[in-house]
């Protein structure tokens, strides 16, 4: 069976893709409210509010847990009432908003005779000059103009329901007025505001996600890395040469290849722009992201899982280390052979054992329907080759033992240099630990400080 790399190339002129040489709040529990349309909002359970959400509201909004719960309930109730009033007011509806810590609801209308209807529903009434439909029509015209030609120095525009205006934020009044003229809108409904805002798309670097090379091919992110202050990711060398530009899974500009070797080895790294934040995560494709804690190499027979943008999340076992394999493009050495399947587009993606990064997908044979054999380039030699640091949950990587291992470690059966199988138990410092994944113990990697490898029992 032919062995190939796992890169996916897209046909730019059409929608088909082919492999080229290559696998390439009503309230808290018990409280509900009915909107004016007679619908009842489902209650919000106090137990359903995440402790993390409550803590963030305390940090950012200055609300304690009880105040946060009350506010969420009031906001949910306001949303229900506003939705009902929007339906009943029809063309006179001019928007709704909440204000203050108690989330007081204000509903605007262009028809003064509707004020009693609004106050009867429990909201403040405000009579204004322009309906929401009219203001959104102006914004729609701006949107259409922007689709034809992106406006220069005009980063943001929106309907401001409190001001009963469309607001255009622009670097200069001239730029804002030029945008209005190009859209052919009524300037009497628009406020042009000076703004230095420069919004940009933000995204995370996550193992297993897709990226695209020069707009003509697709591979997968291996692992988030840094080199000094530069962020980026490790991937396969056959995915691109030095200088190849990349766009991310969101199709936004991402970075470029800074180092690439193929054949001989199949290693590369991409430096990303400031819009991309490296995360110690691997995409579990519906099974939850997996956190990367380090890069301790697993042994033959160990389980290993792979994440890639074509076939998602698949697992198998490590069959052989330090393997050489010949592809049509040439021979590469030092790869690890596995029973994990892969297909075109999975190239460069993450191999991980437990929480430990293992390598990046290189190539293989077969597929994920009938099964196959794949090869990955080990991550530690890749990191060493380019002077990279793996991004991990602890902010570092156990690739290198601590520089100051204890000179007089506590007694126990654990010993550096010993190969431990998953499930093995040792004692250390008066406690018993179970091995979570196969590894060879290194000085300083004691069970009490490497929770990715050992679990206290």
């Amino acid at each position: 069976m032919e062995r190939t790399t796992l890169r996916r190339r897209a046909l730019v002129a059409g929608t088909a893709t082919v492999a080229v040489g290559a696998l390439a709040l009503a309230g808290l529990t018990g409280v509900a409210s009915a909107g004016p349309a007679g619908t009842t909002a489902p209650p919000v359970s106090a137990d359903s509010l995440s402790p993390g959400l409550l803590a963030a509201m305390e940090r950012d909004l200055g609300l304690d847990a009880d105040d946060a719960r009350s506010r969420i309930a009031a906001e949910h109730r306001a949303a229900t009432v506003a939705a009902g009033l929007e339906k009943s007011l029809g063309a006179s509806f001019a928007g709704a908003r909440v204000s203050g810590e108690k989330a007081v609801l204000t509903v605007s209308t262009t028809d003064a005779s509707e004020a009693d209807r609004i106050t009867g529903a429990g909201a403040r009434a405000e009579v204004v000059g322009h309906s929401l439909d009219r203001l959104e029509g102006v914004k729609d015209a701006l949107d259409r103009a922007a689709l034809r030609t992106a406006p220069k120095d005009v980063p943001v525009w929106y309907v401001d329901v409190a001001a009963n205006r469309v607001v255009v934020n622009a670097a200069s009044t001239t730029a804002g007025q030029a945008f209005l003229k190009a859209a052919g809108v009524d300037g009497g409904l628009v406020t042009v505001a000076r703004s230095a805002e420069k919004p940009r798309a933000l995204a995370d670097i996550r193992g297993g996600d897709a990226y695209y090379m020069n707009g003509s091919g697709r591979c997968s992110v291996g692992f988030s890395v840094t080199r000094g202050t530069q962020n980026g990711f490790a991937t396969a060398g056959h995915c691109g040469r030095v200088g190849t530009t990349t766009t991310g899974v969101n199709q936004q500009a991402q970075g470029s290849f800074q180092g690439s070797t193929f054949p001989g080895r199949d290693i590369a790294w991409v430096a990303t722009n400031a819009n991309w934040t490296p995360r110690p995560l691997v995409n579990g494709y519906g099974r939850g992201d997996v956190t990367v804690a380090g890069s301790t190499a697993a042994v033959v027979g160990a389980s290993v899982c792979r994440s890639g943008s074509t076939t998602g999340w698949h697992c198998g076992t490590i069959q052989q280390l330090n393997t050489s394999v010949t592809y049509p493009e040439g021979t590469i050495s030092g790869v690890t052979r596995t029973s994990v399947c892969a297909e075109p587009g999975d190239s460069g993606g993450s191999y991980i054992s437990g929480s430990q990064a293992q390598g990046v997908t290189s190539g293989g044979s077969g597929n994920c329907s009938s099964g196959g054999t794949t090869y990955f380039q080990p991550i530690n030699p890749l990191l060493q080759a380019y002077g990279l640091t793996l991004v991990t949950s602890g902010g570092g990587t156990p690739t290198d033992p601590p520089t100051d291992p204890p000179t007089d470690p506590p007694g126990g059966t654990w010993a550096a240099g010993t190969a431990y199988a998953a499930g093995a138990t040792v004692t250390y410092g008066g406690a018993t630990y179970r091995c979570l994944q196969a590894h060879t113990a290194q000085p300083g990697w004691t069970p009490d400080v490497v929770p990715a490898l050992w679990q206290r029992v």
Side-chain angles (χ1 to χ4, degrees), residues 80-128:
T80 302
V81 172
L85 285 170
E86 180 175 9
K87 182 176 181 180
S88 63
L89 295 176
S92 73
F93 180 74
R97 65 188 188 276
V98 295
S99 57
E101 291 187 2
K102 297 186 181 299
V104 175
L105 174 65
T106 298
V107 173
S108 300
T109 178
T110 58
D111 185 349
S113 67
E114 298 284 11
D116 288 344
R117 183 196 299 268
I118 294 170
T119 56
R124 283 184 64 247
E126 183 177 68
V127 180
V128 296

Short mmCIF file of all heavy atoms in Angstrom, two decimals, residues 80-128:
data_model
loop_
_atom_site.label_atom_id
_atom_site.label_comp_id
_atom_site.label_asym_id
_atom_site.label_seq_id
_atom_site.Cartn_x
_atom_site.Cartn_y
_atom_site.Cartn_z
N THR A 80 -37.60 38.97 28.08
CA THR A 80 -38.91 38.40 27.77
C THR A 80 -39.95 39.49 27.52
O THR A 80 -40.73 39.44 26.56
CB THR A 80 -39.37 37.51 28.94
OG1 THR A 80 -38.40 36.49 29.17
CG2 THR A 80 -40.71 36.86 28.64
N VAL A 81 -39.97 40.50 28.40
CA VAL A 81 -40.92 41.60 28.25
C VAL A 81 -40.65 42.36 26.96
O VAL A 81 -41.58 42.71 26.21
CB VAL A 81 -40.86 42.54 29.47
CG1 VAL A 81 -41.71 43.79 29.23
CG2 VAL A 81 -41.33 41.81 30.72
N ALA A 82 -39.37 42.65 26.68
CA ALA A 82 -39.02 43.40 25.47
C ALA A 82 -39.45 42.66 24.21
O ALA A 82 -39.94 43.27 23.25
CB ALA A 82 -37.52 43.67 25.45
N ALA A 83 -39.25 41.35 24.20
CA ALA A 83 -39.64 40.57 23.02
C ALA A 83 -41.15 40.66 22.79
O ALA A 83 -41.62 40.78 21.64
CB ALA A 83 -39.21 39.12 23.19
N GLY A 84 -41.92 40.59 23.87
CA GLY A 84 -43.36 40.69 23.73
C GLY A 84 -43.81 42.07 23.25
O GLY A 84 -44.70 42.19 22.40
N LEU A 85 -43.17 43.12 23.77
CA LEU A 85 -43.53 44.47 23.36
C LEU A 85 -43.12 44.75 21.91
O LEU A 85 -43.83 45.45 21.19
CB LEU A 85 -42.88 45.49 24.29
CG LEU A 85 -43.54 45.61 25.67
CD1 LEU A 85 -42.69 46.47 26.60
CD2 LEU A 85 -44.95 46.21 25.53
N GLU A 86 -42.00 44.23 21.50
CA GLU A 86 -41.59 44.42 20.10
C GLU A 86 -42.66 43.86 19.17
O GLU A 86 -43.00 44.47 18.14
CB GLU A 86 -40.25 43.75 19.84
CG GLU A 86 -39.78 43.91 18.40
CD GLU A 86 -38.39 43.35 18.14
OE1 GLU A 86 -37.83 42.68 19.04
OE2 GLU A 86 -37.86 43.59 17.03
N LYS A 87 -43.20 42.71 19.54
CA LYS A 87 -44.23 42.10 18.70
C LYS A 87 -45.52 42.91 18.73
O LYS A 87 -46.15 43.16 17.68
CB LYS A 87 -44.48 40.67 19.17
CG LYS A 87 -45.50 39.92 18.33
CD LYS A 87 -45.64 38.48 18.80
CE LYS A 87 -46.65 37.72 17.94
NZ LYS A 87 -46.80 36.30 18.40
N SER A 88 -45.93 43.37 19.92
CA SER A 88 -47.22 44.06 20.03
C SER A 88 -47.17 45.50 19.52
O SER A 88 -48.16 46.01 19.00
CB SER A 88 -47.71 44.03 21.48
OG SER A 88 -46.83 44.74 22.33
N LEU A 89 -46.02 46.17 19.64
CA LEU A 89 -45.92 47.55 19.16
C LEU A 89 -45.76 47.63 17.65
O LEU A 89 -46.09 48.65 17.03
CB LEU A 89 -44.74 48.26 19.85
CG LEU A 89 -44.85 48.47 21.35
CD1 LEU A 89 -43.58 49.09 21.91
CD2 LEU A 89 -46.06 49.34 21.69
N GLY A 90 -45.21 46.60 17.05
CA GLY A 90 -45.07 46.57 15.60
C GLY A 90 -44.18 47.68 15.08
O GLY A 90 -43.06 47.89 15.56
N ALA A 91 -44.67 48.45 14.11
CA ALA A 91 -43.85 49.44 13.41
C ALA A 91 -43.42 50.60 14.31
O ALA A 91 -42.46 51.32 13.98
CB ALA A 91 -44.62 49.99 12.21
N SER A 92 -44.09 50.81 15.43
CA SER A 92 -43.70 51.92 16.30
C SER A 92 -42.58 51.56 17.26
O SER A 92 -42.03 52.43 17.94
CB SER A 92 -44.91 52.40 17.11
OG SER A 92 -45.26 51.48 18.12
N PHE A 93 -42.22 50.29 17.35
CA PHE A 93 -41.16 49.86 18.28
C PHE A 93 -39.83 50.49 17.87
O PHE A 93 -39.44 50.47 16.70
CB PHE A 93 -41.05 48.34 18.25
CG PHE A 93 -39.99 47.78 19.17
CD1 PHE A 93 -40.18 47.75 20.54
CD2 PHE A 93 -38.80 47.28 18.64
CE1 PHE A 93 -39.21 47.22 21.38
CE2 PHE A 93 -37.82 46.75 19.47
CZ PHE A 93 -38.02 46.72 20.84
N ALA A 94 -39.13 51.07 18.86
CA ALA A 94 -37.88 51.78 18.55
C ALA A 94 -36.71 51.27 19.37
O ALA A 94 -35.70 51.95 19.50
CB ALA A 94 -38.06 53.28 18.78
N GLY A 95 -36.84 50.09 19.94
CA GLY A 95 -35.72 49.50 20.65
C GLY A 95 -35.95 49.38 22.15
O GLY A 95 -36.88 49.97 22.70
N ALA A 96 -35.10 48.58 22.81
CA ALA A 96 -35.20 48.35 24.25
C ALA A 96 -33.80 48.28 24.83
O ALA A 96 -32.85 47.89 24.14
CB ALA A 96 -35.97 47.06 24.53
N ARG A 97 -33.70 48.64 26.09
CA ARG A 97 -32.40 48.58 26.77
C ARG A 97 -32.62 48.47 28.27
O ARG A 97 -33.68 48.84 28.78
CB ARG A 97 -31.56 49.82 26.46
CG ARG A 97 -32.15 51.12 26.99
CD ARG A 97 -31.36 52.32 26.49
NE ARG A 97 -31.77 53.58 27.11
CZ ARG A 97 -32.79 54.32 26.73
NH1 ARG A 97 -33.53 53.94 25.70
NH2 ARG A 97 -33.09 55.45 27.36
N VAL A 98 -31.63 47.92 28.98
CA VAL A 98 -31.67 47.90 30.44
C VAL A 98 -30.56 48.79 30.96
O VAL A 98 -29.55 49.02 30.28
CB VAL A 98 -31.52 46.48 31.01
CG1 VAL A 98 -32.71 45.61 30.64
CG2 VAL A 98 -30.21 45.84 30.57
N SER A 99 -30.74 49.30 32.16
CA SER A 99 -29.73 50.17 32.75
C SER A 99 -29.68 49.97 34.25
O SER A 99 -30.67 49.56 34.87
CB SER A 99 -30.05 51.66 32.43
OG SER A 99 -31.35 51.99 32.90
N GLY A 100 -28.49 50.24 34.83
CA GLY A 100 -28.32 50.14 36.26
C GLY A 100 -28.15 48.72 36.74
O GLY A 100 -28.37 47.75 36.01
N GLU A 101 -27.74 48.57 38.00
CA GLU A 101 -27.50 47.25 38.57
C GLU A 101 -28.78 46.43 38.66
O GLU A 101 -28.74 45.20 38.69
CB GLU A 101 -26.86 47.38 39.94
CG GLU A 101 -25.43 47.92 39.91
CD GLU A 101 -24.77 47.90 41.26
OE1 GLU A 101 -25.41 47.41 42.22
OE2 GLU A 101 -23.61 48.33 41.36
N LYS A 102 -29.94 47.11 38.73
CA LYS A 102 -31.21 46.38 38.82
C LYS A 102 -31.80 46.09 37.44
O LYS A 102 -32.90 45.55 37.33
CB LYS A 102 -32.21 47.17 39.68
CG LYS A 102 -31.75 47.33 41.12
CD LYS A 102 -32.83 47.98 41.96
CE LYS A 102 -32.38 48.16 43.40
NZ LYS A 102 -32.06 46.87 44.05
N ALA A 103 -31.06 46.43 36.39
CA ALA A 103 -31.47 46.12 35.01
C ALA A 103 -32.87 46.64 34.72
O ALA A 103 -33.76 45.91 34.27
CB ALA A 103 -31.37 44.63 34.73
N VAL A 104 -33.09 47.94 34.95
CA VAL A 104 -34.39 48.56 34.66
C VAL A 104 -34.60 48.62 33.15
O VAL A 104 -33.73 49.09 32.41
CB VAL A 104 -34.45 49.97 35.27
CG1 VAL A 104 -35.74 50.67 34.88
CG2 VAL A 104 -34.32 49.89 36.79
N LEU A 105 -35.73 48.16 32.69
CA LEU A 105 -36.02 48.08 31.26
C LEU A 105 -36.68 49.36 30.75
O LEU A 105 -37.67 49.83 31.32
CB LEU A 105 -36.94 46.89 30.97
CG LEU A 105 -37.45 46.75 29.53
CD1 LEU A 105 -36.29 46.48 28.57
CD2 LEU A 105 -38.50 45.64 29.44
N THR A 106 -36.13 49.91 29.67
CA THR A 106 -36.75 51.03 28.96
C THR A 106 -37.08 50.58 27.54
O THR A 106 -36.22 50.00 26.86
CB THR A 106 -35.80 52.24 28.89
OG1 THR A 106 -35.51 52.69 30.22
CG2 THR A 106 -36.42 53.38 28.11
N VAL A 107 -38.30 50.81 27.11
CA VAL A 107 -38.72 50.46 25.75
C VAL A 107 -39.14 51.75 25.05
O VAL A 107 -39.93 52.53 25.58
CB VAL A 107 -39.88 49.45 25.77
CG1 VAL A 107 -40.42 49.22 24.35
CG2 VAL A 107 -39.40 48.13 26.38
N SER A 108 -38.59 51.96 23.84
CA SER A 108 -38.87 53.19 23.08
C SER A 108 -39.92 52.93 22.01
O SER A 108 -40.00 51.83 21.43
CB SER A 108 -37.58 53.69 22.41
OG SER A 108 -36.60 53.97 23.39
N THR A 109 -40.71 53.97 21.73
CA THR A 109 -41.74 53.89 20.70
C THR A 109 -41.87 55.24 20.01
O THR A 109 -41.57 56.28 20.59
CB THR A 109 -43.11 53.50 21.30
OG1 THR A 109 -44.10 53.47 20.27
CG2 THR A 109 -43.54 54.48 22.38
N THR A 110 -42.32 55.21 18.77
CA THR A 110 -42.58 56.46 18.04
C THR A 110 -44.02 56.93 18.23
O THR A 110 -44.40 58.01 17.76
CB THR A 110 -42.30 56.27 16.54
OG1 THR A 110 -43.12 55.21 16.04
CG2 THR A 110 -40.83 55.95 16.29
N ASP A 111 -44.85 56.15 18.92
CA ASP A 111 -46.27 56.44 19.08
C ASP A 111 -46.56 56.68 20.57
O ASP A 111 -46.55 55.75 21.37
CB ASP A 111 -47.09 55.27 18.56
CG ASP A 111 -48.59 55.54 18.57
OD1 ASP A 111 -49.01 56.55 19.19
OD2 ASP A 111 -49.34 54.73 17.99
N ALA A 112 -46.83 57.95 20.94
CA ALA A 112 -47.06 58.29 22.34
C ALA A 112 -48.25 57.54 22.94
O ALA A 112 -48.30 57.30 24.15
CB ALA A 112 -47.26 59.79 22.48
N SER A 113 -49.20 57.15 22.11
CA SER A 113 -50.38 56.44 22.63
C SER A 113 -50.03 55.03 23.13
O SER A 113 -50.86 54.39 23.78
CB SER A 113 -51.46 56.36 21.54
OG SER A 113 -51.05 55.51 20.47
N GLU A 114 -48.82 54.54 22.80
CA GLU A 114 -48.42 53.19 23.22
C GLU A 114 -47.72 53.21 24.59
O GLU A 114 -47.36 52.15 25.10
CB GLU A 114 -47.47 52.57 22.18
CG GLU A 114 -48.07 52.38 20.81
CD GLU A 114 -49.00 51.17 20.77
OE1 GLU A 114 -49.34 50.63 21.84
OE2 GLU A 114 -49.40 50.80 19.66
N ALA A 115 -47.54 54.41 25.18
CA ALA A 115 -46.80 54.48 26.44
C ALA A 115 -47.46 53.66 27.53
O ALA A 115 -46.79 52.99 28.33
CB ALA A 115 -46.66 55.93 26.87
N ASP A 116 -48.81 53.71 27.61
CA ASP A 116 -49.50 52.95 28.65
C ASP A 116 -49.29 51.45 28.49
O ASP A 116 -49.18 50.71 29.48
CB ASP A 116 -51.00 53.28 28.63
CG ASP A 116 -51.29 54.68 29.15
OD1 ASP A 116 -50.40 55.27 29.80
OD2 ASP A 116 -52.41 55.18 28.90
N ARG A 117 -49.26 50.99 27.23
CA ARG A 117 -49.04 49.57 26.99
C ARG A 117 -47.66 49.16 27.54
O ARG A 117 -47.50 48.09 28.12
CB ARG A 117 -49.11 49.26 25.49
CG ARG A 117 -48.97 47.76 25.18
CD ARG A 117 -48.65 47.55 23.70
NE ARG A 117 -49.71 48.05 22.84
CZ ARG A 117 -50.73 47.31 22.39
NH1 ARG A 117 -50.82 46.05 22.74
NH2 ARG A 117 -51.64 47.85 21.60
N ILE A 118 -46.67 50.03 27.33
CA ILE A 118 -45.31 49.73 27.77
C ILE A 118 -45.22 49.72 29.30
O ILE A 118 -44.68 48.78 29.90
CB ILE A 118 -44.33 50.75 27.17
CG1 ILE A 118 -44.28 50.59 25.65
CG2 ILE A 118 -42.94 50.58 27.77
CD1 ILE A 118 -43.53 51.70 24.93
N THR A 119 -45.77 50.75 29.94
CA THR A 119 -45.69 50.79 31.40
C THR A 119 -46.52 49.69 32.03
O THR A 119 -46.18 49.15 33.08
CB THR A 119 -46.16 52.17 31.92
OG1 THR A 119 -47.48 52.45 31.44
CG2 THR A 119 -45.21 53.27 31.46
N GLY A 120 -47.60 49.30 31.36
CA GLY A 120 -48.42 48.19 31.87
C GLY A 120 -47.67 46.88 31.88
O GLY A 120 -48.00 45.97 32.66
N ALA A 121 -46.71 46.75 31.00
CA ALA A 121 -45.91 45.53 30.95
C ALA A 121 -44.75 45.56 31.93
O ALA A 121 -44.00 44.59 32.05
CB ALA A 121 -45.38 45.32 29.53
N GLY A 122 -44.60 46.70 32.64
CA GLY A 122 -43.55 46.78 33.66
C GLY A 122 -42.28 47.44 33.20
O GLY A 122 -41.24 47.31 33.87
N ALA A 123 -42.31 48.18 32.08
CA ALA A 123 -41.11 48.85 31.57
C ALA A 123 -41.31 50.36 31.59
O ALA A 123 -42.44 50.86 31.68
CB ALA A 123 -40.82 48.39 30.15
N ARG A 124 -40.20 51.09 31.52
CA ARG A 124 -40.26 52.53 31.32
C ARG A 124 -40.56 52.80 29.84
O ARG A 124 -40.02 52.13 28.97
CB ARG A 124 -38.93 53.20 31.66
CG ARG A 124 -38.65 53.39 33.13
CD ARG A 124 -37.34 54.17 33.32
NE ARG A 124 -37.45 55.53 32.79
CZ ARG A 124 -36.76 55.98 31.74
NH1 ARG A 124 -35.93 55.19 31.09
NH2 ARG A 124 -36.90 57.23 31.33
N ALA A 125 -41.42 53.80 29.57
CA ALA A 125 -41.73 54.16 28.19
C ALA A 125 -40.95 55.40 27.79
O ALA A 125 -40.79 56.33 28.58
CB ALA A 125 -43.22 54.40 28.04
N GLU A 126 -40.50 55.40 26.54
CA GLU A 126 -39.78 56.56 26.01
C GLU A 126 -40.27 56.80 24.58
O GLU A 126 -40.24 55.88 23.75
CB GLU A 126 -38.27 56.30 26.02
CG GLU A 126 -37.42 57.46 25.56
CD GLU A 126 -35.93 57.14 25.67
OE1 GLU A 126 -35.47 56.27 24.90
OE2 GLU A 126 -35.27 57.74 26.51
N VAL A 127 -40.72 58.02 24.30
CA VAL A 127 -41.20 58.35 22.97
C VAL A 127 -40.07 59.03 22.19
O VAL A 127 -39.47 60.00 22.66
CB VAL A 127 -42.43 59.28 23.04
CG1 VAL A 127 -42.92 59.63 21.63
CG2 VAL A 127 -43.55 58.64 23.85
N VAL A 128 -39.78 58.50 20.99
CA VAL A 128 -38.66 58.98 20.17
C VAL A 128 -39.14 59.25 18.75
O VAL A 128 -40.28 58.95 18.39
CB VAL A 128 -37.50 57.96 20.16
CG1 VAL A 128 -36.91 57.79 21.57
CG2 VAL A 128 -37.98 56.62 19.61
#
